[in-house]
Amino acid sequence: MPNFESDILLLESIHSSADGVLIDEGLRIARAVGSLEGDELVARLATTRMVGIRSKTQLTRETLAQASHLQCIGCFCIGTNQVDLEAAAEHGITVFNSPFSNTRSVAEMTLAEIIALHRRLFDRSMRLHQGHWDKSATAAHEVRGRTLGIVGYGHIGSQISVLAESLGMRVLYHDILPVMPMGNARACSDLGELLERSDIVTLHVPETEGTRHLIGAAELERMKPGAALINNARGSVVDLSALRTALEARTIGGAAIDVYPEEPRSNTVDFECPLAGLDNVILTPHIGGSTEEAQEQIAAEVAVKIARFDATGTTTSSVNIPEVELPVRPPDQVRILHFHRNVPGVLSKMHAIIAEHEVNITAEYLRTTGGLSYVIMDCGRLKGTDALQRLESLDETIRMRVLRPD
Ligand code: NAI
């Protein structure tokens, strides 16, 4: 491995809370403002062991094939669509992300929208901006005592449940898994029951085949007359044209939408939404999780995963590599981190090579997923480089890294 000027390249203005964690582990950081692409990206990746990106940098199969020294990618964000995860695994490159650091941010925005929709705050504000004084209590409600229906009771849904109860709301939820209620929340037997009983429905499910158009014309019809809908989950979950029809017919009283079936890739692209211009509809540009606090937490969380991977080989919570939780390497031991194709016989070949050097294997860890196997061996000091070279040049080897005593 060449001695590069830095260990990790951080792109796209990753929050500085990553730096302290990485520096404490002795890692040298290089930064580039914004994302990189094309030849410039390939050139920078060729001289780094690890890279940190957010959602803009595209790490395609072609790009990764040219990043021969890259060991680890930190996605300092929630999604990992910008990385070809399969290609990364084929090269033994470990990918981490931060799936839950912005849970609280989404929950708080949803709470704000629940109140704003009940009071028609956006309508009133828009009208006053246009010079209309419209003081009236009609169709304005307190949220206390109203029923909130949460669809998807995972990290975000369950947090909203707690916050909504503290405002005096009744909480119902529906999840495909049998999840425990928080506080006094009640599980509904099915989605239909939740839709029929809720004054406001908020969606917090993932994007799957099963959640595509989970809310369409039939589901909107089952909702209470005048009830409101919030979608801060994924754009595919709601049929927006059916929602527009229901809003125009006033069978649905309001909506807040943060996510869309197709979203612009940058802030400079114009955006048209089928719900634009309707009363009591809050439209936001996928900002549910976008707070400075979330960015800070994401940076710290991913930096910790990278630092542990670099120091020990731990791949816990990687999105593409077999997960192995490793203890700190004993100071007098060599640790061999070996990614190889998952075919029979590799382990015995590795054992034979080490046995020939009359060195003890003191600990061994193994995990496989599909075609990939990750083996970690702690052993005594190996004389010379012969054993390591032979391990690295096994036909099945994808990538090998060695942590040595100082
Ligand atoms: P999570 O994985 O913790 O919870 C999702 C829950 O939905 C799980 O309990 C799951 O069993 C349940 N579920 C799956 N399919 C279902 C179905 N058909 N019906 C009912 N329940 C179902 O996920 P988390 O972190 O709570 O995120 C929820 C959604 O929020 C995701 O789509 C995520 O992408 C989105 N999100 C949006 C953000 C934004 O900026 N607007 C930021 C962060 C997350």
Side-chain angles (χ1 to χ4, degrees):
M1 171 69 65
N3 194 15
F4 298 129
E5 271 173 31
S6 62
D7 299 299
I8 182 161
L9 171 64
L10 297 182
L11 305 177
E12 302 187 54
S13 309
I14 286 165
H15 196 280
S16 58
S17 66
D19 295 26
V21 177
L22 299 171
I23 290 167
D24 283 352
E25 284 297 325
L27 294 171
R28 297 159 305 157
I29 302 170
R31 276 184 176 269
V33 179
S35 66
L36 297 178
E37 54 185 48
D39 291 346
E40 198 184 358
L41 176 61
V42 170
R44 294 298 296 266
L45 291 180
T47 59
T48 190
R49 294 193 297 114
M50 300 188 279
V51 66
I53 60 169
R54 287 171 66 192
S55 53
K56 289 206 179 84
T57 307
Q58 300 296 310
L59 297 178
T60 60
R61 176 173 284 277
E62 201 189 355
T63 304
L64 293 173
Q66 298 171 76
S68 52
H69 301 297
L70 198 62
Q71 298 164 352
C72 178
I73 298 167
C75 297
F76 285 73
C77 49
I78 311 302
T80 51
N81 293 344
Q82 70 282 39
V83 179
D84 188 324
L85 296 178
E86 208 179 279
E90 286 167 18
H91 291 290
I93 301 169
T94 304
V95 182
F96 294 112
N97 70 336
S98 173
F100 305 119
S101 293
N102 59 8
T103 296
R104 176 70 187 202
S105 301
V106 183
E108 286 192 13
M109 189 169 99
T110 306
L111 255 286
E113 290 169 339
I114 292 168
I115 296 176
L117 288 170
H118 273 85
R119 300 293 294 271
R120 305 187 73 91
L121 287 185
F122 278 67
D123 280 1
R124 298 292 163 92
S125 174
M126 283 304 291
R127 285 188 57 72
L128 205 52
H129 275 285
Q130 292 155 0
H132 304 292
W133 185 261
D134 185 11
K135 180 173 160 60
S136 146
T138 307
H141 298 280
E142 291 184 353
V143 297
R144 180 174 47 169
R146 307 278 282 186
T147 301
L148 173 67
I150 301 173
V151 184
Y153 205 65
H155 287 78
I156 297 171
S158 58
Q159 179 119 192
I160 290 169
S161 175
V162 175
L163 296 172
E165 278 200 338
S166 73
L167 288 172
M169 298 191 82
R170 293 196 194 96
V171 176
L172 301 175
Y173 69 90
H174 165 65
D175 199 293
I176 47 169
L177 296 178
V179 277
M180 284 286 288
M182 309 292 284
N184 298 314
R186 298 254 318 276
C188 289
S189 53
D190 56 28
L191 177 62
E193 185 199 345
L194 178 139
L195 296 175
E196 283 165 12
R197 291 177 57 194
S198 303
D199 297 304
I200 185 160
V201 173
T202 186
L203 308 173
H204 302 284
V205 293
E207 179 169 44
T208 64
E209 278 304 308
T211 61
R212 193 184 144 64
H213 285 187
L214 189 67
I215 303 295
E219 291 72 25
L220 291 165
E221 242 170 67
R222 284 190 83 165
M223 286 173 65
K224 276 188 178 180
L229 177 73
I230 299 177
N231 184 13
N232 290 338
R234 281 293 174 258
S236 58
V237 177
V238 175
D239 177 348
L240 286 186
S241 75
L243 179 57
R244 179 170 185 111
T245 306
L247 285 159
E248 282 173 338
R250 309 233 173 244
T251 52
I252 294 296
I257 305 290
D258 189 43
V259 286
Y260 307 87
E262 307 232 335
E263 296 182 3
R265 291 194 64 80
S266 91
N267 284 350
T268 54
V269 178
D270 286 343
F271 180 62
E272 280 178 31
C273 173
L275 304 183
L278 293 177
D279 282 358
N280 209 24
V281 174
I282 303 169
L283 299 179
T284 46
H286 202 148
I287 52 166
S290 304
T291 63
E292 293 189 12
E293 288 76 8
Q295 288 307 319
E296 189 176 338
Q297 282 176 53
I298 287 169
E301 184 186 332
V302 179
V304 166
K305 292 179 183 180
I306 292 173
R308 294 184 71 222
F309 168 78
D310 193 61
T312 67
T314 290
T315 52
T316 305
S317 86
S318 161
V319 291
N320 71 326
I321 289 284
E323 294 186 48
V324 186
E325 178 71 35
L326 294 162
V328 173
R329 175 178 56 84
D332 58 337
Q333 298 284 291
V334 174
R335 177 166 288 175
I336 299 164
L337 308 156
H338 197 266
F339 287 102
H340 56 258
R341 285 190 290 112
N342 185 19
V343 290
V346 182
L347 216 49
S348 50
K349 285 188 206 173
M350 294 178 72
H351 289 164
I353 292 171
I354 292 177
E356 273 179 43
H357 285 72
E358 296 181 352
V359 162
N360 248 356
I361 296 172
T362 53
E364 185 170 87
Y365 313 85
L366 164 72
R367 269 289 157 82
T368 60
T369 47
L372 185 64
S373 179
Y374 183 32
V375 168
I376 302 94
M377 287 177 184
D378 286 348
C379 58
R381 289 171 195 257
L382 291 152
K383 286 203 189 88
T385 53
D386 172 69
L388 295 177
Q389 275 168 4
R390 285 171 62 197
L391 288 172
E392 193 159 20
S393 54
L394 287 174
D395 283 347
E396 298 85 356
T397 303
I398 293 172
R399 178 179 295 274
M400 190 178 97
R401 186 157 71 97
V402 182
L403 304 174
R404 293 186 178 83
D406 294 332

